[in-house]
């Protein structure tokens, strides 16, 4: 594991461990060739259109036994653009999703330096969320594309995974119904927060793929300014996305950029 990932793991509130993705899974992939076929197909798509995977996947402690084989990746998005980084869920479209279990009474302990040191909880059954018949799992993977290799995007990625898997947020349905979804003040650090616009990936980004188990959309979370957030509520998410594509960095996140409304 590289030092950057070690630093990330020491500060994020939910991440339990990092482990080689090729061998990581509580789900016995050797006993389910179809599950592996889906996993491999998704991997090939990412590596062709986004970039090569690192050796490590980031696992969320509160998803142990809930999201088998799933986790978060940080990869250089050189197929999208020079100097870009992609932060992505990987496994929302697994054949065993949506989840039918959840972790109850989850507790996390930290050491003297604030690093996660111990986890505990109990698996319990939960009602499985409904998804479209032609969708793979939840029907999407979530990405945030940034110009930096940092830890703040992973706070957002954890938020999105928790919202969907544990709280049945139905993010894809909301995006399709409202032509996008805006979320305000998502914590991305001890004293930091961002607003985001979540929308389907737009060209020239890769826009999705048909996996062996159904359709996979790519949803992109883009950091937006306070005035863009308010403007979208009055004028629509689709209109804000159009402005970002025309006047800004498109669906690439930069927390320091100027508003496209100025």
């Amino acid at each position: 594991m590289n030092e950057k990932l070690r630093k990330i793991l020491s500060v994020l509130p939910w991440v339990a461990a990092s482990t080689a993705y090729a061998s990581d899974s509580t789900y016995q992939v050797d006993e389910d060739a179809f599950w592996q076929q889906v996993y491999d197909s998704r991997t090939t798509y990412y590596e062709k259109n986004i970039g090569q995977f690192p050796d490590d996947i980031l696992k969320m402690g509160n998803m142990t036994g809930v999201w088998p084989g799933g986790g978060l990746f940080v990869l250089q998005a050189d197929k999208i653009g020079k100097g870009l980084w992609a932060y992505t869920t990987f496994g929302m479209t697994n054949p065993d999703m949506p989840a039918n279990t959840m972790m109850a009474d989850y507790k996390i302990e930290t050491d003297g330096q604030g690093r996660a040191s111990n986890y505990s909880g109990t698996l319990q059954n939960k009602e499985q969320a409904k998804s479209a018949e032609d969708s793979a799992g939840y029907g999407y993977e979530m990405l945030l594309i940034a110009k930096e290799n940092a830890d703040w995007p992973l706070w957002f990625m954890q938020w999105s995974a928790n919202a969907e898997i544990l709280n049945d947020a139905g993010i894809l349905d909301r995006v399709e119904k409202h032509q996008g979804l805006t979320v305000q003040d998502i914590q991305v650090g001890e004293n930091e927060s961002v607003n985001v616009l979540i929308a389907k990936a737009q060209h020239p980004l890769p826009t999705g793929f048909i996996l062996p188990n159904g359709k996979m959309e790519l949803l992109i979370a883009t950091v937006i300014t306070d005035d863009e957030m308010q403007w979208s509520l009055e004028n629509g998410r689709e209109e804000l996305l159009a402005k970002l594509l025309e006047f800004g960095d498109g669906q690439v996140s930069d927390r320091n950029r100027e508003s496209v409304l100025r």
Side-chain angles (χ1 to χ4, degrees):
M1 190 195 316
N2 64 40
E3 290 304 313
K4 181 64 179 178
L5 288 180
R6 291 182 190 279
K7 179 181 178 182
I8 291 173
L9 291 172
S10 72
V11 298
L12 293 181
W14 296 105
V15 171
S18 179
T19 176
Y21 82 90
S23 61
D24 171 76
S25 181
T26 56
Y27 189 96
Q28 297 300 309
V29 294
D30 290 342
E31 298 177 7
D32 193 335
F34 183 67
W35 191 100
Q36 189 65 52
Q37 183 183 359
V38 172
Y39 191 98
D40 292 344
S41 179
R42 189 174 59 238
T43 298
T44 299
Y45 178 81
Y46 267 68
E47 292 187 338
K48 178 180 178 181
N49 295 282
I50 299 174
Q52 291 295 122
F53 283 106
D55 292 334
D56 303 300
I57 187 172
L58 301 178
K59 301 293 291 182
M60 298 169 62
N62 63 323
M63 295 293 181
T64 302
V66 176
W67 191 16
L72 310 176
F73 273 116
V74 181
L75 58 155
Q76 289 183 290
D78 54 350
K79 299 296 179 65
I80 295 176
K82 184 178 180 181
L84 297 181
W85 291 82
Y87 303 80
T88 183
T89 59
F90 201 75
M92 302 293 289
T93 51
N94 283 349
D96 51 0
M97 293 288 104
N100 57 15
T101 59
M102 65 179 296
M103 185 74 72
D105 301 320
Y106 180 75
K107 296 179 181 179
I108 181 172
E109 299 177 6
T110 57
D111 60 21
Q113 297 181 340
R115 296 174 301 191
S117 60
N118 191 38
Y119 311 85
S120 63
T122 304
L123 276 179
Q124 66 179 33
N125 293 331
K126 70 181 290 288
E127 184 176 353
Q128 191 172 41
K130 294 181 180 179
S131 59
E133 290 184 5
D134 61 346
S135 293
Y138 287 101
Y140 73 93
E141 298 291 344
M142 181 75 73
L143 292 91
L144 188 152
I145 302 168
K147 297 180 178 180
E148 58 182 329
N149 183 9
D151 58 10
W152 67 265
L154 284 168
W155 288 68
F156 168 79
M157 299 309 301
Q158 290 181 97
W159 172 88
S160 70
N162 279 315
E164 191 67 81
I165 297 175
L166 300 185
N167 298 303
D168 300 327
I171 292 176
L172 178 59
D173 287 343
R174 292 169 184 259
V175 167
E176 293 181 333
K177 181 178 180 180
H178 302 289
Q179 292 76 53
L181 173 66
T182 50
V183 189
Q184 191 170 19
D185 293 333
I186 298 174
Q187 185 180 5
V188 292
E190 293 301 329
N191 299 296
E192 301 174 272
S193 63
V194 295
N195 309 318
V196 299
L197 168 66
I198 301 173
K200 290 185 179 181
Q202 303 293 308
H203 184 77
L205 296 180
T207 57
F209 186 60
I210 303 298
L211 295 169
N213 60 326
K215 187 176 181 180
M216 174 185 71
E217 299 281 3
L218 295 184
L219 297 186
I220 310 294
T222 309
V223 172
I224 58 176
T225 63
D226 290 340
D227 62 337
E228 290 169 350
M229 177 76 191
Q230 184 59 40
W231 190 89
S232 74
L233 298 178
E234 300 168 358
N235 297 276
R237 287 83 170 175
E238 191 174 23
E239 293 300 319
L240 175 59
L241 178 57
K243 284 187 173 293
L244 291 173
L245 294 172
E246 183 176 1
F247 302 113
D249 294 320
Q251 291 178 288
V252 174
S253 289
D254 180 356
R255 292 190 297 171
N256 299 315
R257 70 168 175 82
E258 293 186 358
S259 170
V260 296
L261 304 177
R262 296 176 185 175

